[in-house]
Amino acid sequence: MSVKSYIETNKGRFLEELFGLMRIPSISALEEHKPDMLACAQRLANLLMASGATGARITPTAGNPIVYAERLISAEAPTVLVYGHYDVMPAEPLELWNTDPFEPTIHDGRIWGRGADDDKGQGMTQIKGFETALAEGILGCNVKFLFEGEEEIGSTNLEAYCEANKDLLKADVILVSDTSMVSKEVPSLTTGLRGLAYWEVEVTGPNRDLHSGHFGGAVANPINVMCQLLASLVDSNGRITIPGFYDDVEEVSPEEREMIARIPFDEAKYKAAIGVDALFGEKGYSTLERNSCRPSFDICGIWGGYTGEGSKTVLPSKAYAKVSTRLVPHQDHGKISRLFEKHMRRVAPPYVKVKVTPSHGGQGYVCPIDMPAYKAAEEAMRIAFGQRPLAVRRGGSIPIIAAFERILGIKSVLMGFGLEQNAIHSPNESCELDYFFKGIEAVAEFYHLYSPKP
Amino acid sequence: MSVKSYIETNKGRFLEELFGLMRIPSISALEEHKPDMLACAQRLANLLMASGATGARITPTAGNPIVYAERLISAEAPTVLVYGHYDVMPAEPLELWNTDPFEPTIHDGRIWGRGADDDKGQGMTQIKGFETALAEGILGCNVKFLFEGEEEIGSTNLEAYCEANKDLLKADVILVSDTSMVSKEVPSLTTGLRGLAYWEVEVTGPNRDLHSGHFGGAVANPINVMCQLLASLVDSNGRITIPGFYDDVEEVSPEEREMIARIPFDEAKYKAAIGVDALFGEKGYSTLERNSCRPSFDICGIWGGYTGEGSKTVLPSKAYAKVSTRLVPHQDHGKISRLFEKHMRRVAPPYVKVKVTPSHGGQGYVCPIDMPAYKAAEEAMRIAFGQRPLAVRRGGSIPIIAAFERILGIKSVLMGFGLEQNAIHSPNESCELDYFFKGIEAVAEFYHLYSPKP
């Protein structure tokens, strides 16, 4: 039998197995679902065993349990560590769902229900792809499965688990199906994620709110100063002015820029969708480069003075802002944080006090597209989706991916089958039936291709 | 008898009359005190009659009544319109008062209680100064009294009353005892007030809050833009950059600067009191010039994006600010408002929408120090306080003073006897006994000196 025909033959069962997982409301954010978390972990472990994995174990954590299983075929074969998560987002607002979020249904050629994509659907493509490769006798690598139940609440206990199980988790690559493709017409692999540094800035002027009539013009206003300080951090070319900020920025290679330029992108549609007449970003880079391979500086929140109805003539004592930078690979968020604090200390004028409090940060991630595992994923997707997937960097951050690299020293290949229309985290989450099966096919092909060099 | 001995003889009665007014809790801000407002207006009218005024009338308004009375001595004599107010601020927080705010007491040489200064105490200096001049046979001018009961809540109905009673209120000058002197050692007359223009600014970027990872760097952040726009409005020399802003600014004359330089001012104490290490303002001007005769630009409030606990990586849809400028004489707040809106339209970048909503405004005021009434006030204060008062401009705004000029065409002389330590609007409002009587003396001398030219 071929991969395709094995999947065709077992379609019904694959769906029933997915539905069995989806019926369990494993909502990690809500304490009342604790029993569902355990039930879901148990069912997942059973599924892994039934699919051909061995040594399944459910490890309790301070939060939700972590599920591990493996299939080791040979010491010579490379090892893949599959990462996924069995927890889902809350379904609220329930009134916007057309069907019960935890009673999966199929209509219009799609699977509907919470977790249809994120990450029960995508996780199942891994398990069923593995089963398919195994059943077809084409499994070329050792496989380890690692599923957590806290991804939607920050993977709180996963890092400690990795630290404590470095040997168990030894692998050549991590394979993750939890991201999206550019579009239905444009299959893609996610090859980069941005890092993050985030601070709270507090500017203090006078020791109390002053009357703007009696003091205005003679005493510096901390909101005026906050605006000046923050405005000075980005120049008119959209470049961040913090000295040393770009020192470690990995310049986008001509090859990658050429690849990015090939991503279908309709700027007019993009602008219309978010309701702006024009875009602004770093000079010399395209929009898709700016929001994926270049750093950014955003004020995420600002407040100070009188913000109620009407007008109050106050020269306030304090102004606050929450500011963040998205970082690109090789920029260390700790170093950037120090540069920012140093810069703010240097530019703070003598008539105010400026306090910078680092909030959180994470490293960026980049997947080298010449890794054997990447090449295997690329070819596997070409087979399943009919065209070579683009390598695409994403502007967001998935902190656990950088943590894997830091703790385990392993790179991840982000082979996700999601699409924007799947509405993850929203009401009426869904996944195209056909893409679920194509995902399984791509994964099976990956397990075939990712094998010892002849 | 002399002015001094008349006051000495009648001290006890003057105080009892003031206390009678202070015992009425005429708090205009609180609806429950409506009956007290009427009672206070009535007592004031009686007091005016008992002091020698005639034709007292209490005119109802949509809010609290206005009290009028007059003493017309001759068609040749100049006419003074005395303005004051019988309403007081709420006394809260009551627990911070050492004595009952509405049971006036005398200790430590001071009168304690709500209204001891603002404006029952100062208003009584006018009435009792008038009585003294009349009793001593030295009244040189016609006197009209106008007391409102809504000063602390924005003089809501006074402008309409002025419009409707232009003939009744005809006068050569308005005399107001409702301001403060520089200090006990430095008697002064307030010769200028700043105007005001106030706006709300709204900057809209994308049509909804965006994920700063997916869009940051490619889509302009409205808070970033707000900071840039507002920061650009004041240059590094503290000059406001709105084109045309300074066109009508009346430059401070060398004489006035010289007068300001003579005001005792301890910059180290000033900084310590408000807790700042350094001051900032327009280059080329002193602190006292900056906060009184020069315009200022203050952001009174700013808000946008995520302002809660912790961090949220959002590229928000909107940013808001409340901004104001203090204006100096000859700057028209309507014109400044138009210049600001025009400038903001011009500098708004194409990637955001900027909306400016004028909130309120008022004209500045300047009292020519060569007016006969000013000269009379200056000499009267010299007699009462033993030294020539300084002419001092103040940075705040008293909108009704500019309204008087606009509606009635009459300049005001601001002969106030307040001192900072009197704690108006605060718990434990008080007034030095000696200054209450010196105020009466100064007013009596004014009524004597402000008479037809020989």
Side-chain angles (χ1 to χ4, degrees):
Chain A
M1 233 193 290
S2 69
V3 164
K4 272 193 208 305
S5 56
Y6 183 86
I7 294 169
E8 184 60 33
T9 307
N10 291 283
K11 262 180 158 176
R13 178 172 56 82
F14 288 176
L15 284 175
E16 250 330 298
E17 288 173 356
L18 169 61
F19 287 10
L21 277 182
M22 288 171 67
R23 285 192 189 103
I24 304 171
S26 50
I27 303 166
S28 50
L30 303 173
E31 199 58 27
E32 70 206 72
H33 287 284
K34 273 278 170 217
D36 296 316
M37 303 313 297
L38 300 178
C40 199
Q42 188 63 60
R43 180 176 289 259
L44 188 60
N46 292 343
L47 254 173
L48 285 162
M49 301 284 273
S51 307
T54 58
R57 67 189 80 174
I58 297 172
T59 308
T61 71
N64 298 324
I66 287 168
V67 179
Y68 175 87
E70 62 186 20
R71 177 82 185 208
L72 307 180
I73 58 164
S74 144
E76 281 74 49
T79 301
V80 178
L81 174 63
V82 173
Y83 163 76
H85 63 94
Y86 64 85
D87 64 323
V88 294
M89 286 289 281
E92 280 74 16
L94 293 173
E95 65 277 14
L96 295 183
W97 284 82
N98 299 320
T99 60
D100 184 337
F102 297 104
E103 187 44 65
T105 53
I106 292 173
H107 59 84
D108 299 324
R110 305 181 73 84
I111 305 160
W112 301 85
R114 176 57 86 224
D117 170 326
D118 180 20
D119 185 45
K120 289 175 177 172
Q122 293 216 43
M124 279 296 277
T125 61
Q126 284 293 335
I127 301 171
K128 295 298 107 180
F130 160 74
E131 178 197 311
T132 301
L134 190 66
E136 288 297 302
I138 57 169
L139 184 66
C141 55
N142 302 307
V143 184
K144 296 176 172 182
F145 290 98
L146 173 68
F147 285 89
E148 67 160 322
E150 301 183 304
E151 197 271 348
E152 302 293 6
I153 53 171
S155 301
T156 326
N157 294 289
L158 188 57
E159 292 196 19
Y161 179 89
C162 291
E163 294 279 3
N165 293 279
K166 285 183 183 171
D167 273 348
L168 181 74
L169 301 176
K170 246 182 198 154
D172 298 288
V173 75
I174 294 169
L175 186 64
V176 185
S177 291
D178 195 24
T179 50
S180 295
M181 302 196 291
V182 169
S183 72
K184 214 176 144 174
E185 296 72 31
V186 185
S188 58
L189 285 153
T190 298
T191 53
L193 297 165
R194 290 197 285 187
L196 178 75
Y198 199 108
W199 308 270
E200 190 164 314
V201 180
E202 181 186 317
V203 176
T204 305
N207 53 16
R208 62 182 189 279
D209 288 2
L210 300 177
H211 188 294
S212 74
H214 300 160
F215 292 91
V219 176
N221 178 318
I223 307 182
N224 290 30
V225 176
M226 176 71 94
C227 287
Q228 277 151 8
L229 288 174
L230 297 183
S232 76
L233 294 173
V234 180
D235 70 16
S236 59
N237 290 325
R239 296 272 295 184
I240 295 158
T241 61
I242 301 163
F245 184 86
Y246 289 93
D247 283 359
D248 302 325
V249 164
E250 187 200 45
E251 276 302 322
V252 194
S253 68
E255 294 71 31
E256 187 155 9
R257 297 191 74 167
E258 192 261 325
M259 184 119 55
I260 292 169
R262 276 164 43 207
I263 299 172
F265 178 69
D266 184 331
E267 193 160 291
K269 266 192 196 164
Y270 182 84
K271 289 190 292 186
I274 56 175
V276 298
D277 294 334
L279 299 170
F280 174 76
E282 190 183 355
K283 207 174 164 179
Y285 294 91
S286 71
T287 293
L288 290 185
E289 288 166 350
R290 288 168 176 173
N291 69 13
S292 65
C293 334
R294 299 299 301 174
S296 61
F297 176 84
D298 275 291
I299 307 169
C300 298
I302 195 165
W303 69 103
Y306 181 72
T307 59
E309 280 282 302
S311 52
K312 191 177 162 188
T313 49
V314 63
L315 191 168
S317 171
K318 281 173 183 288
Y320 302 88
K322 289 174 192 277
V323 302
S324 74
T325 55
R326 292 284 170 171
L327 307 173
V328 296
H330 301 167
Q331 284 186 296
D332 175 74
H333 74 88
K335 181 179 168 188
I336 293 296
S337 202
R338 288 189 296 277
L339 288 177
F340 178 70
E341 289 174 67
K342 192 175 154 197
H343 179 62
M344 290 298 272
R345 268 199 307 278
R346 193 172 36 222
V347 297
Y351 35 84
V352 295
K353 289 171 196 74
V354 176
K355 189 175 145 198
V356 174
T357 310
S359 163
H360 73 277
Q363 309 297 17
Y365 173 75
V366 68
C367 172
I369 61 177
D370 53 2
M371 284 201 306
Y374 180 83
K375 296 268 185 210
E378 192 177 44
E379 176 60 10
M381 287 195 68
R382 194 196 57 73
I383 295 169
F385 293 92
Q387 54 182 301
R388 183 179 169 219
L390 293 181
V392 172
R393 292 220 225 169
R394 298 291 184 169
S397 312
I398 308 181
I400 199 66
I401 301 300
F404 284 147
E405 189 167 14
R406 175 168 47 83
I407 300 167
L408 303 173
I410 316 176
K411 284 280 186 186
S412 295
V413 169
L414 303 169
M415 185 167 71
F417 309 112
L419 289 170
E420 203 191 324
Q421 53 266 42
N422 292 5
I424 65 167
H425 294 205
S426 298
N428 302 309
E429 179 173 349
S430 67
C431 167
E432 196 167 317
L433 263 178
D434 191 37
Y435 270 62
F436 176 59
F437 299 121
K438 279 188 174 151
I440 293 171
E441 183 184 350
V443 172
E445 295 293 351
F446 174 88
Y447 288 132
H448 177 211
L449 294 162
Y450 190 54
S451 51
K453 290 272 155 59
Chain B
M1 231 193 292
S2 69
V3 164
K4 272 192 208 307
S5 55
Y6 183 86
I7 295 169
E8 184 61 33
T9 307
N10 292 283
K11 261 178 159 176
R13 178 172 56 83
F14 288 176
L15 283 176
E16 250 330 299
E17 287 174 356
L18 169 63
F19 287 10
L21 275 182
M22 287 171 68
R23 285 191 189 103
I24 304 171
S26 49
I27 303 166
S28 50
L30 303 172
E31 199 57 28
E32 71 207 72
H33 286 285
K34 274 279 170 217
D36 296 316
M37 303 313 296
L38 300 179
C40 199
Q42 187 63 59
R43 182 176 287 259
L44 188 61
N46 291 344
L47 256 173
L48 285 162
M49 301 284 274
S51 306
T54 58
R57 65 189 83 173
I58 297 171
T59 308
T61 73
N64 297 324
I66 288 167
V67 178
Y68 176 87
E70 62 186 21
R71 177 84 186 207
L72 307 180
I73 57 164
S74 144
E76 280 74 50
T79 300
V80 178
L81 175 64
V82 172
Y83 163 77
H85 64 93
Y86 64 86
D87 63 324
V88 294
M89 287 290 280
E92 280 74 15
L94 292 173
E95 66 275 15
L96 295 184
W97 284 83
N98 299 321
T99 60
D100 183 337
F102 297 105
E103 187 44 65
T105 53
I106 293 173
H107 59 86
D108 299 325
R110 304 181 73 84
I111 305 161
W112 301 85
R114 176 57 85 227
D117 170 326
D118 181 18
D119 186 44
K120 289 175 177 172
Q122 292 217 43
M124 279 297 277
T125 61
Q126 284 293 335
I127 301 171
K128 296 295 107 179
F130 160 75
E131 178 197 310
T132 301
L134 189 65
E136 289 297 303
I138 57 169
L139 183 66
C141 54
N142 302 307
V143 185
K144 296 177 173 182
F145 290 98
L146 173 69
F147 285 89
E148 66 159 325
E150 300 183 305
E151 198 271 349
E152 302 293 8
I153 52 171
S155 302
T156 327
N157 293 289
L158 187 58
E159 292 195 19
Y161 179 89
C162 291
E163 293 280 5
N165 292 280
K166 285 182 184 172
D167 272 349
L168 182 72
L169 302 176
K170 246 183 200 154
D172 297 288
V173 74
I174 294 169
L175 185 64
V176 184
S177 292
D178 195 23
T179 50
S180 295
M181 302 197 291
V182 169
S183 74
K184 213 176 145 174
E185 295 73 30
V186 186
S188 58
L189 284 155
T190 298
T191 53
L193 297 164
R194 289 197 286 188
L196 178 75
Y198 199 108
W199 308 269
E200 190 163 315
V201 179
E202 181 185 318
V203 175
T204 305
N207 52 17
R208 62 181 189 280
D209 287 3
L210 301 177
H211 189 294
S212 74
H214 299 160
F215 292 91
V219 176
N221 177 319
I223 307 182
N224 290 29
V225 176
M226 176 71 94
C227 287
Q228 278 150 8
L229 288 175
L230 297 184
S232 76
L233 294 174
V234 180
D235 70 17
S236 59
N237 290 324
R239 295 271 297 184
I240 295 158
T241 61
I242 301 163
F245 184 85
Y246 289 93
D247 283 359
D248 303 326
V249 164
E250 186 201 45
E251 278 301 323
V252 194
S253 68
E255 293 73 30
E256 187 153 10
R257 296 190 75 168
E258 193 262 324
M259 184 118 56
I260 292 170
R262 275 164 43 206
I263 299 172
F265 177 70
D266 184 331
E267 192 160 291
K269 267 193 195 161
Y270 182 83
K271 289 190 293 186
I274 57 175
V276 298
D277 294 333
L279 299 171
F280 175 75
E282 190 182 356
K283 207 172 163 180
Y285 294 91
S286 72
T287 293
L288 290 185
E289 287 165 350
R290 288 167 176 174
N291 69 12
S292 65
C293 334
R294 299 298 301 173
S296 61
F297 175 84
D298 275 292
I299 306 169
C300 298
I302 194 165
W303 69 103
Y306 182 71
T307 59
E309 279 282 304
S311 53
K312 190 176 161 187
T313 50
V314 63
L315 191 170
S317 171
K318 281 174 184 287
Y320 302 87
K322 289 174 193 276
V323 301
S324 74
T325 55
R326 293 283 170 171
L327 307 173
V328 296
H330 300 168
Q331 283 187 296
D332 175 74
H333 75 86
K335 181 179 169 190
I336 293 296
S337 202
R338 288 189 295 277
L339 288 176
F340 178 70
E341 288 175 66
K342 191 175 155 196
H343 179 62
M344 291 298 272
R345 268 200 306 278
R346 192 171 38 221
V347 296
Y351 36 84
V352 295
K353 290 170 196 77
V354 176
K355 189 175 144 197
V356 174
T357 309
S359 164
H360 74 277
Q363 309 296 18
Y365 173 74
V366 69
C367 172
I369 60 177
D370 53 3
M371 285 201 306
Y374 181 82
K375 297 267 185 210
E378 192 177 43
E379 176 60 12
M381 287 193 70
R382 194 195 59 71
I383 294 169
F385 293 92
Q387 54 183 299
R388 184 180 167 216
L390 291 181
V392 173
R393 292 219 226 172
R394 298 290 183 170
S397 313
I398 308 180
I400 199 64
I401 300 300
F404 284 147
E405 188 167 13
R406 176 169 46 82
I407 301 168
L408 303 174
I410 315 177
K411 285 280 185 186
S412 295
V413 169
L414 303 169
M415 185 166 70
F417 308 111
L419 289 171
E420 205 191 323
Q421 53 265 43
N422 292 5
I424 64 167
H425 293 208
S426 299
N428 302 309
E429 180 174 348
S430 66
C431 168
E432 196 168 316
L433 263 178
D434 191 37
Y435 271 61
F436 176 60
F437 299 121
K438 278 189 175 149
I440 293 171
E441 183 184 349
V443 171
E445 295 293 351
F446 174 88
Y447 288 132
H448 178 210
L449 294 162
Y450 190 51
S451 51
K453 291 268 156 63

